[in-house]
Amino acid sequence: GVFFYLPPMITFFIILTELVMEKETHLRLGMRTMGLNNAVYWIVWWITGSIFNFISTLVLIAAGAAFQFSFFLNSNIFSIFLVFFLFGLSMLALAFVLSAVVNTSKTAQTLGYAIILVGFVFQVILCSGNGFLVDVLYAEDIEGWVVFVRGLLTCYPPFNLAMVFSNIAMKASDVVSIAGGQILSGPGFFWKDMFVSRDMYALNMHMVIPSPVMTLVCILADMMLFLVLTWYLDNVLPGPHGAPRPVLFFLTREYWGIKDNSQRKVNKYRSLEDQGVHIANRVAHDSQVDGDVRDEARHAVELDDRNRNAGQQQHEQERGIYIVGLTKIYPAKGIIRSLLAYVANLLKLRRGGSSNDYSSLSPSSSSSTMIPMMTSTDED
């Protein structure tokens, strides 16, 4: 029965390596630059992985029935499908978490193979003796550290698979009768058995094994935990997509799209220069903006302050080009929000200065093509 653990792991390995490959080759960064929302990115991969997992589960059940395994022939088929499909989804969520941490395809492949191998050995140990080692963990009057270890193991999807597999196999699999010298068929596993816990006595211990449906609830809890971790780590860990957000980014109003009314209008300022300084100040204190962009914003504000202190006349003489609030918008529909890319919030060129003497705010590659076109024109 331990080999039934492998088909869902194929989807786990494929999704993990593909996600890391897209991050390593900057494909995800390119899609994000073109306006792809992070939520849409993960949802699409979740749908893709779920389809793969759905197909692999059907193939596993069909192959098991074709080879006359009593585990599949003598069990409720919907129960079997639910067990392996939910296990596959939890491993898919685990692949998401690992892809947020790993940055190279080689590391992802090594880690994927290691997890599959360790999980296989784990299944061999836990499923031996009709899952007796799993049952021992649920004995009454056990030490506190054993309860703690059991809690940790419930966060490991292969452990939950071994547990529910043992519960089903106890009733669905054939039994060898030593006294009669024959193989007897089990009573069968029905849908109502999904909600029945199991009591047993062995080695002077009373063990109460949770029902299969409670084990499936643990698998679903693992899946939700992994998805939340993916969302968090994808935002706080540094990567090619930009600087990380603050540790408590989910408590900021900017993350949820809540803005101050004072930031919605800039027309109240007396001049374009005042608007540019206001925008630069806002970018300099925006935690969602990359660190190098914030540095450029602070540099722009400092430059403006120096010019103001030097006097308005000198300020007018040094200002050759002045651009405020130049933006490029990638339109989007549905739940994909419009991606606003600052090309230049406050850009100044001194008269007679070089093309490198400017302050540019740009988290995207837009300015890499626009600014050289602007600065390469004739002085006249």
Side-chain angles (χ1 to χ4, degrees):
V2 295
F3 294 98
F4 301 149
Y5 149 85
L6 293 176
M9 299 303 294
I10 297 176
T11 301
F12 160 80
F13 183 83
I14 293 175
I15 298 299
L16 172 61
T17 54
E18 288 295 321
L19 284 171
V20 176
M21 184 274 295
E22 285 192 351
K23 181 167 64 172
E24 182 182 21
T25 57
H26 294 181
L27 288 176
R28 181 185 175 188
L29 179 61
M31 290 185 286
R32 180 180 177 182
T33 303
M34 296 305 295
L36 179 64
N37 185 274
N38 282 337
V40 177
Y41 176 81
W42 290 113
I43 289 174
V44 170
W45 269 112
W46 180 262
I47 294 175
T48 302
S50 299
I51 294 174
F52 286 171
N53 185 43
F54 180 82
I55 296 175
S56 66
T57 302
L58 292 181
V59 172
L60 174 62
I61 295 175
F67 286 98
Q68 300 295 305
F69 285 109
S70 58
F71 178 84
F72 296 96
L73 297 177
N74 206 19
S75 301
N76 180 269
I77 188 172
F78 184 72
S79 301
I80 300 298
F81 175 84
L82 203 59
V83 168
F84 286 102
F85 183 71
L86 292 182
F87 170 72
L89 290 182
S90 64
M91 294 306 300
L92 175 62
L94 179 59
F96 281 15
V97 175
L98 297 177
S99 69
V101 179
V102 179
N103 294 320
T104 63
S105 299
K106 185 176 181 180
T107 304
Q109 292 176 2
T110 303
L111 183 61
Y113 284 128
I115 291 177
I116 293 175
L117 179 59
V118 171
F120 182 79
V121 175
F122 204 76
Q123 292 295 305
V124 171
I125 297 175
L126 291 179
C127 291
S128 60
N130 291 327
F132 181 73
L133 292 179
V134 178
D135 299 339
V136 171
L137 295 176
Y138 289 90
E140 295 180 349
D141 301 327
I142 57 177
E143 298 291 338
W145 67 269
V146 179
V147 177
F148 177 75
V149 171
R150 185 181 68 193
L152 291 179
L153 289 176
T154 55
C155 298
Y156 181 56
F159 172 80
N160 294 318
L161 176 65
M163 187 172 169
V164 69
F165 179 85
S166 300
N167 281 336
I168 297 177
M170 289 285 292
K171 294 186 176 182
S173 299
D174 296 333
V175 180
V176 178
S177 177
I178 301 178
Q182 57 183 344
I183 298 178
L184 303 177
S185 299
F189 186 87
F190 304 96
W191 175 251
K192 62 180 181 179
D193 296 324
M194 290 287 293
F195 306 90
V196 178
S197 58
R198 180 164 52 91
D199 292 348
M200 63 176 300
Y201 292 88
L203 302 178
N204 295 325
M205 293 185 296
H206 177 218
M207 292 165 278
V208 180
I209 316 303
S211 62
V213 73
M214 290 302 300
T215 307
L216 294 183
V217 170
C218 292
I219 293 178
L220 287 174
D222 293 342
M223 180 186 69
M224 297 303 300
L225 174 63
F226 295 150
L227 291 178
V228 171
L229 283 176
T230 301
W231 166 69
Y232 181 78
L233 295 177
D234 188 56
N235 281 280
V236 300
L237 292 181
H241 54 276
R245 298 181 188 270
V247 176
L248 300 178
F249 70 93
F250 51 88
L251 298 180
T252 61
R253 297 192 302 175
E254 292 82 2
Y255 178 79
W256 303 106
I258 304 175
K259 297 182 180 296
D260 293 334
N261 293 330
S262 60
Q263 295 180 353
R264 295 178 182 177
K265 295 182 180 180
V266 295
N267 294 330
K268 62 181 180 180
Y269 297 95
R270 293 178 297 176
S271 65
L272 289 176
E273 185 172 354
D274 291 336
Q275 293 183 26
V277 173
H278 169 73
I279 296 175
N281 268 310
R282 189 177 66 187
V283 174
H285 297 87
D286 191 347
S287 60
Q288 299 188 34
V289 178
D290 290 349
D292 54 346
V293 179
R294 293 197 299 268
D295 293 338
E296 290 293 341
R298 286 189 288 268
H299 175 68
V301 174
E302 293 172 359
L303 179 62
D304 184 81
D305 291 339
R306 288 199 300 268
N307 287 335
R308 289 176 183 270
N309 294 332
Q312 184 66 22
Q313 182 177 2
Q314 179 183 356
H315 177 61
E316 292 293 339
Q317 292 177 353
E318 292 185 352
R319 187 173 65 193
I321 300 177
Y322 192 79
I323 299 177
V324 176
L326 181 61
T327 61
K328 182 176 181 180
I329 296 180
Y330 300 91
K333 297 180 179 180
I335 64 174
I336 309 178
R337 297 178 180 177
S338 297
L339 180 63
L340 178 62
Y342 283 100
V343 175
N345 270 327
L346 190 61
L347 185 148
K348 297 183 180 180
L349 287 179
R350 287 203 305 257
R351 188 181 302 276
S354 66
S355 62
N356 293 326
D357 189 12
Y358 60 82
S359 176
S360 172
L361 308 179
S362 176
S364 69
S365 60
S366 304
S367 62
S368 63
T369 56
M370 184 173 294
I371 289 178
M373 293 171 59
M374 296 164 51
T375 57
S376 62
T377 58
D378 189 81
E379 183 177 351
D380 295 335

